[in-house]
Amino acid sequence: IMDRITNKHLEAMTNRLNELVGAELEKWNKETGKSNAGTYYVQGAYGGYRLERIANDGGGASDISLRGTKREIYEQIRTAVTVLEFQNRRREY
């Protein structure tokens, strides 16, 4: 039996993705009142979820993944994180 994927799981995996690509962890910059372009986050609506990336400081976003369940989106983000970590390790050699 697999553990249930929660919002905290999605947030932790998305934070790791943002760290690996050098993006801010928070969607909004509280000092400037603008969004942090380049930041990835999970959007939930209509019973589904998807990975999105902030495209500009006004908050416009691009869809990165198709809509799916929490588990499907978690696994997609985990795959991206694994690939980025592998690439980073290769650069160290």
Side-chain angles (χ1 to χ4, degrees):
I1 272 186
M2 291 192 249
D3 291 337
R4 181 176 166 185
I5 298 297
T6 66
N7 289 340
K8 286 191 182 276
H9 290 110
L10 290 172
E11 183 178 343
M13 192 59 67
T14 304
N15 284 346
R16 182 65 182 136
L17 175 62
N18 282 317
E19 289 171 354
L20 287 165
V21 300
E24 297 292 328
L25 300 184
E26 299 296 325
K27 294 191 318 188
W28 295 96
N29 183 322
K30 292 175 181 149
E31 293 177 16
T32 65
K34 296 180 179 183
S35 64
N36 288 317
T39 297
Y40 291 92
Y41 66 97
V42 174
Q43 174 68 40
Y46 309 108
Y49 300 84
R50 76 170 154 227
L51 182 65
E52 295 185 358
R53 183 176 182 264
I54 298 175
N56 56 51
D57 63 10
S62 298
D63 297 344
I64 302 301
S65 72
L66 297 174
R67 191 167 297 282
T69 64
K70 284 182 182 179
R71 174 158 307 281
E72 289 169 338
I73 300 309
Y74 177 86
E75 293 299 338
Q76 289 179 35
I77 300 168
R78 187 182 64 78
T79 299
V81 164
T82 300
V83 169
L84 290 168
E85 288 175 339
F86 178 74
Q87 281 185 320
N88 289 343
R89 280 194 302 273
R90 283 189 56 199
R91 287 187 190 123
E92 292 173 3
Y93 293 112

